Amino acid sequence: MSKKEVVIEKKYKIVSYRKKTDGWTKIYNSSFEYIESLPAFKVYCYLCYRYNEFHNYSFPSMNTIAKDCKISKTTVQKAIKYLEEKKLIKRFKLREGNDYYNNCYRIKYAIQIDEEQSKEKLMDSMIEDDEEEIVSVETKVEIDNFTTEEEEKE
């Protein structure tokens, strides 16, 4: 018996975050798997917590995020970059005159898609959003007690 490493591909649909609860911060279950960086997960949760329903984005400063999450500003910057690469946030700045405001963050979330789910069902289940997309994530898993063909012949 030996170990074998298997790559499992999971597909996620990335859609806009909608905070529809009163007094609660909604974090989708798939976020626990999709966001592998602990500091990035903490920052993501904080941005969801600070999400403004009226404006449809979150806009705390990096210093505020660092202070409230009890992490360094450098860690916040890395976490924001990670979340952008995972397509969970889109960062932008609002400009009024010559002054810039804090960074603003459009928040998205990932929904895992079952492989059997047909494209038609997927299209029917999507929330209307021009910026939705599907991403794939590969995960390596070790299987114990795996028998190779050579071992079976013996």
Side-chain angles (χ1 to χ4, degrees):
M1 301 275 183
S2 59
K3 288 187 178 186
K4 179 180 180 182
E5 190 172 89
V6 177
V7 176
I8 299 172
E9 181 182 14
K10 293 184 181 180
K11 294 189 181 207
Y12 293 87
K13 175 176 62 167
I14 308 294
V15 296
S16 290
Y17 181 80
R18 304 235 192 313
K19 187 175 185 177
K20 295 184 178 179
T21 55
D22 186 27
W24 296 86
T25 300
K26 183 187 266 186
I27 305 297
Y28 290 85
N29 291 340
S30 56
S31 301
F32 290 92
E33 233 178 52
Y34 189 69
I35 304 172
E36 296 168 340
S37 161
L38 187 56
F41 184 76
K42 191 171 190 177
V43 169
Y44 178 77
C45 292
Y46 184 76
L47 291 175
C48 290
Y49 163 68
R50 295 292 304 268
Y51 180 80
N52 184 301
E53 292 178 65
F54 180 73
H55 294 291
N56 289 322
Y57 54 81
S58 190
F59 50 93
S61 69
M62 291 219 185
N63 288 331
T64 299
I65 297 170
K67 180 179 143 264
D68 290 352
C69 290
K70 296 175 180 48
I71 56 178
S72 71
K73 187 175 176 183
T74 303
T75 302
V76 170
Q77 291 167 336
K78 288 177 184 176
I80 294 292
K81 183 178 178 187
Y82 173 88
L83 293 169
E84 285 177 312
E85 289 169 357
K86 296 287 261 182
K87 301 181 186 204
L88 290 173
I89 63 170
K90 186 173 185 178
R91 180 174 25 175
F92 63 97
K93 291 183 183 239
L94 290 179
R95 184 175 174 167
E96 187 174 296
N98 291 332
D99 297 331
Y100 281 92
Y101 292 128
N102 289 339
N103 287 323
C104 298
Y105 307 94
R106 292 242 188 255
I107 303 170
K108 297 184 176 275
Y109 62 95
I111 301 174
Q112 186 173 344
I113 301 169
D114 293 336
E115 289 181 30
E116 302 89 39
Q117 188 176 21
S118 68
K119 193 169 187 176
E120 295 82 33
K121 284 184 182 178
L122 175 62
M123 296 307 288
D124 289 343
S125 69
M126 286 185 168
I127 298 169
E128 290 182 29
D129 186 342
D130 295 337
E131 298 182 23
E132 291 178 354
E133 61 185 287
I134 296 176
V135 297
S136 294
V137 177
E138 290 185 354
T139 306
K140 292 181 181 175
V141 178
E142 281 190 5
I143 300 174
D144 289 328
N145 301 327
F146 177 78
T147 307
T148 64
E149 288 181 24
E150 292 82 27
E151 290 174 332
E152 285 180 2
K153 290 177 184 176
E154 294 175 358

